[in-house]
């Protein structure tokens, strides 16, 4: 193995592929470094369930050979993380639960297969809250700490994936999102996460939680890298009847947003947000406008009900899946049990009413997207929660995390529309805050092109918690040097 | 960092579930009653399957 070049940048898949192409590094070197960084990140942040060292190095050897022989595939040699709800043959998938702590997968998830077929190399199974619905203090693996401040939570449920990307262990990771589980940790960790249109990405081989609300998508250091992963994993699959033919193409980077119509709903989405979050949102709007976009006020009157009803659909469907595990409930995370338990007594009538509400919400959004191309709103109402109290601070007031964090996210899961969460700035203490963009069904290309233009203009991508913390005088000196 | 701890079961699972279900019922009832009222007033002919079809149709016609 060659020495690690000092400039080796694992934060960007695009840069890594360029480095492979020009011969300045190779997959053996990069994957070895990625393994070193994920182990260091796990020591500091508790972000990993298992490290796939042996199989990653075997794949890196093949990838290096492919680059040497001129036969690289689309993502040849790019290391990535897998939220530990996705199966990988002959590897344990815990789903973050003691109940599945020894469950060896008999097959590989469709999305992981697609990434493997593109030459990408999994290096870790990343920590998740239990069943992707439990609390931060997971009985199996403990809490994942936030790279920007280890006294705070990473967010979840795709906790380890977002923390590891933020820590620079690999450029992207595969996550799942049933109510905000990609976007909330992305917001808290200063990375970019995409909740895909329901049906764009197959879910076969992911631990099921909610048929209606759950989706699979990328968590990355930038929108450009998220687009690279999404292009690989999107598209219909014969075993997943809800999947749609992919219309997604990674957008060409554009410097301008001329002609883009941005809807701003205000009201529910801007209420009860911390001033730093609002400032980040306003800076996004100002930058988008300076790049040529126009903004218009739009209305989503059912947003608050969508939050409540969406979670009840999720918990009802999760209960339907988990009731058979009743004998093991004593081993469940009490938070997961309490949340899933909320759906344990839903009547058939109420379930049908909720799905009827879903149809009405979709028509409401259709009317919005007759007027605008994307809708922008503050991402999470506050910076990451304290790991002990599990409260967030909104303008100095302590608010329970669960009451606040997903108020802008569940709407997309219930309706099925896509969304992207990306950094929009920082609090005075140097913690990241985020903006969320929502698009029309299968509108991921527009969402990502908007995000790419914003990130190129603002520089809010591939953020490095280590450097930023040093800038804010908070660096504790224990992080690895890249 | 060794944060791994065994679960701390403080309440019987059945009690946790029953309490959660009762709380959800109390919180959701007014919301769902309003949905039912609107449907009765305005009509609603969409089925759950239509919601999935909407995603495909809306995506095809708009992008």
């Amino acid at each position: 193995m060659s020495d690690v070049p000092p400039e080796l940048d694992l934060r960007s898949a695009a840069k890594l592929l360029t480095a492979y192409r020009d011969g300045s590094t190779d997959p053996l070197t990069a994957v070895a470094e990625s393994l070193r960084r994920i182990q260091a990140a796990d020591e500091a942040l508790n972000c990993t369930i298992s490290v796939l060292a042996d199989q990653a190095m075997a794949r890196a050897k093949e990838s290096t050979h492919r680059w040497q022989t001129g036969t690289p595939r689309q993502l040849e040699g790019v290391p990535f993380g897998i939220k530990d709800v996705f199966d990988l043959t002959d590897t344990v998938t815990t789903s973050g639960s003691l109940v599945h702590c020894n469950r060896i997968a008999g097959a590989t998830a469709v999305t992981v297969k697609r990434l493997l077929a593109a030459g990408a190399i999994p290096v870790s199974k990343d920590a998740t809250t239990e069943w992707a619905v439990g609390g931060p203090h997971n009985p199996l693996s403990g809490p994942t700490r936030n790279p920007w401040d280890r006294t705070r939570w990473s967010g979840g449920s795709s906790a380890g994936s977002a923390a590891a990307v933020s820590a620079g262990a690999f450029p992207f990771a595969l996550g799942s999102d049933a109510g905000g589980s990609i976007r909330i940790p992305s917001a808290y960790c200063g990375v970019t996460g995409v909740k895909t249109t329901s049906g764009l990405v197959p879910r076969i081989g992911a631990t099921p939680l909610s048929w209606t609300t759950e989706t699979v998508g990328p968590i990355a250091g930038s929108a450009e890298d998220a687009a690279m992963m999404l292009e690989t994993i999107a598209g219909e699959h014969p075993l997943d009847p809800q999947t749609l033919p992919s219309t997604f193409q990674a957008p060409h980077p554009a410097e301008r947003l001329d002609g883009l119509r941005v809807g701003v709903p205000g009201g529910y989405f801007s209420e009860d947000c911390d001033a730093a979050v609002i400032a980040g949102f306003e800076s996004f709007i100002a930058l988008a406008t300076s790049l040529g976009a126009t903004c218009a006020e739009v209305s989503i009157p059912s947003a608050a009900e969508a939050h409540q009803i969406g979670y009840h659909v999720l918990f009802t469907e999760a209960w339907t899946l988990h009731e058979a595990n009743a004998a093991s409930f004593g081993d469940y995370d009490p938070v997961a049990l309490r949340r899933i338990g909320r759906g344990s007594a839903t009547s058939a009538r109420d379930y049908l009413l909720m799905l009827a509400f879903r149809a009405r919400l979709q028509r409401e959004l259709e009317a919005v997207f007759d007027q605008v191309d994307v809708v922008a709103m503050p991402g999470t109402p506050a910076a990451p929660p304290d790991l002990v109290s599990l409260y967030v601070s909104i303008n100095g007031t302590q608010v329970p995390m669960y009451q606040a964090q997903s108020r802008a996210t569940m709407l997309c899961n219930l309706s099925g529309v896509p969304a992207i969460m990306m950094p929009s700035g920082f609090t005075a203490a140097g913690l990241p805050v985020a903006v969320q963009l929502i698009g029309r069904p299968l509108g991921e290309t527009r969402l990502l092109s908007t995000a790419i233009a914003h990130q190129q203009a603002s520089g809010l991508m591939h953020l490095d918690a280590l450097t930023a913390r040093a800038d804010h005088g908070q660096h504790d000196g224990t992080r690895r040097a890249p | 960092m060794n944060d791994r701890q065994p679960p701390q079961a403080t309440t019987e699972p059945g009690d946790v579930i029953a309490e959660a279900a009762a709380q959800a019922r109390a919180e959701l009832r007014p919301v769902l009653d309003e949905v039912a009222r609107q449907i009765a007033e305005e009509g609603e002919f969409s089925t759950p399957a239509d919601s999935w079809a909407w995603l495909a149709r809306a995506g095809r016609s708009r992008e």
Side-chain angles (χ1 to χ4, degrees):
Chain A
M1 191 189 320
S2 58
D3 291 338
V4 179
E7 72 278 12
L8 180 59
D9 187 354
L10 292 180
R11 291 183 181 277
S12 163
K15 284 184 184 171
L16 198 53
L17 288 168
T18 299
Y20 292 158
R21 199 170 292 118
D22 68 22
S24 58
T25 191
D26 57 46
L28 270 171
T29 306
V31 169
E33 178 61 9
S34 177
L35 288 166
R36 190 183 73 76
R37 290 185 191 181
I38 192 63
Q39 284 161 341
D42 189 40
E43 283 290 312
L45 306 173
N46 195 28
C47 58
T48 301
I49 299 289
S50 57
V51 176
L52 309 170
D54 292 344
Q55 56 176 282
M57 290 308 294
R59 288 191 171 102
K61 187 176 177 185
E62 185 200 338
S63 275
T64 299
H65 179 71
R66 280 179 170 268
W67 279 105
Q68 288 169 343
T69 55
T71 57
R73 296 162 290 182
Q74 190 180 357
L75 297 174
E76 191 68 61
V78 177
F80 72 101
I82 302 173
K83 180 181 183 179
D84 200 25
V85 298
F86 294 97
D87 285 345
L88 179 63
T89 306
D90 297 331
T91 304
V92 171
T93 303
T94 67
S95 304
S97 176
L98 286 166
V99 179
H100 276 188
C101 66
N102 295 314
R103 178 187 167 275
I104 295 175
T108 297
V110 168
T111 42
V112 177
K113 268 188 194 171
R114 288 178 176 178
L115 288 162
L116 290 171
I121 298 175
V123 297
S124 61
K125 301 294 291 291
D126 304 326
T128 171
T129 63
E130 187 178 80
W131 310 118
V133 73
H137 294 274
N138 182 322
L140 173 72
S141 58
T144 298
R145 296 178 181 275
N146 193 299
W148 297 83
D149 179 346
R150 289 179 213 164
T151 69
R152 295 173 188 268
W153 189 34
S154 61
S157 63
S158 305
S161 300
V165 169
S166 177
F170 33 70
F172 47 47
L174 189 63
S176 64
D177 188 318
S181 284
I182 282 174
R183 289 163 289 160
I184 292 167
S186 294
Y188 287 164
C189 291
V191 297
T192 300
V194 181
K195 182 272 166 195
T196 52
T197 302
S198 302
L200 179 65
V201 180
R203 299 177 292 188
I204 304 295
T207 307
L209 178 67
S210 167
W211 304 294
T212 300
T213 69
E214 188 151 33
T215 56
V216 175
I219 295 174
S222 69
E224 183 185 15
D225 284 347
M228 291 173 72
M229 176 183 262
L230 183 54
E231 197 171 44
T232 302
I233 62 177
E236 62 189 331
H237 190 278
L239 293 180
D240 189 340
Q242 287 167 338
T243 49
L244 306 165
S246 175
T247 55
F248 178 74
Q249 291 183 318
H252 297 295
E255 293 180 358
R256 300 280 304 169
L257 293 174
D258 294 312
L260 182 77
R261 299 170 300 166
V262 180
V264 181
Y268 167 82
F269 294 102
S270 299
E271 291 166 359
D272 302 324
C273 286
D274 191 68
V277 174
I278 295 296
F281 173 69
E282 288 174 347
S283 71
F284 165 80
I285 294 294
L287 186 54
T289 305
S290 75
L291 295 175
T294 56
C295 294
E297 196 173 316
V298 294
S299 175
I300 308 176
S302 299
E305 290 80 7
H307 180 247
Q308 272 187 292
I309 290 175
Y311 269 105
H312 204 55
V313 169
L314 189 167
F315 296 146
T316 299
E317 294 177 350
W319 174 261
T320 307
L321 290 161
H322 281 269
E323 189 179 9
N325 287 347
S328 302
F329 280 168
D331 288 332
Y332 270 44
D333 169 15
V335 177
L337 194 62
R338 191 166 66 243
R339 299 185 86 199
I340 292 172
R342 286 177 64 89
S344 65
T346 305
S347 68
R349 176 178 179 271
D350 282 354
Y351 184 65
L352 288 170
L353 282 173
M354 293 192 291
L355 294 181
F357 174 85
R358 183 188 191 215
R360 300 166 74 85
L361 176 66
Q362 289 174 331
R363 288 198 292 272
E364 197 170 299
L365 289 172
E366 192 166 20
V368 169
F369 288 116
D370 280 341
Q371 304 166 55
V372 297
D373 301 305
V374 301
V375 175
M377 59 190 62
T380 55
D386 177 82
L387 250 177
V388 176
S389 70
L390 299 184
Y391 277 54
V392 296
S393 176
I394 298 179
N395 299 322
T397 301
Q398 299 300 303
V399 178
M401 174 186 86
Y402 283 121
Q403 183 181 315
Q405 67 183 7
S406 55
R407 53 187 286 125
T409 54
M410 174 50 94
L411 170 89
C412 309
N413 300 80
L414 183 61
S415 63
V417 301
I420 186 166
M421 187 76 81
M422 60 179 177
S424 60
F426 299 91
T427 68
L431 297 168
V433 294
V435 62
Q436 178 177 251
L437 307 181
I438 294 177
R440 56 172 55 106
L442 301 178
E444 280 84 353
T445 302
R446 178 65 66 92
L447 281 182
L448 281 154
S449 65
T450 304
I452 289 170
H454 175 262
Q455 292 185 344
Q456 286 180 339
S458 67
L460 290 170
M461 58 182 170
H462 305 308
L463 300 178
D464 184 335
L466 175 69
T467 305
R469 285 168 54 151
D471 287 348
H472 283 84
Q474 297 179 33
H475 179 224
D476 60 10
T478 56
R479 277 278 308 282
R480 88 292 177 272
Chain B
M1 183 173 293
N2 182 16
D3 286 321
R4 292 160 172 85
Q5 297 171 346
Q8 305 279 317
T10 55
T11 313
E12 286 298 314
D15 295 339
V16 171
I17 292 163
E19 187 185 331
Q23 188 182 355
R25 204 162 31 236
E27 291 172 7
L28 265 294
R29 192 71 269 146
V31 179
L32 293 180
D33 283 349
E34 175 59 17
V35 174
R37 190 194 64 74
Q38 288 175 10
I39 288 172
E41 193 174 293
E42 301 165 23
E44 174 60 69
F45 291 98
S46 293
T47 69
D50 293 333
S51 287
W52 288 96
W54 177 82
L55 291 163
R57 180 176 53 78
R60 272 199 308 272
S61 63
R62 305 285 176 191
E63 269 303 301

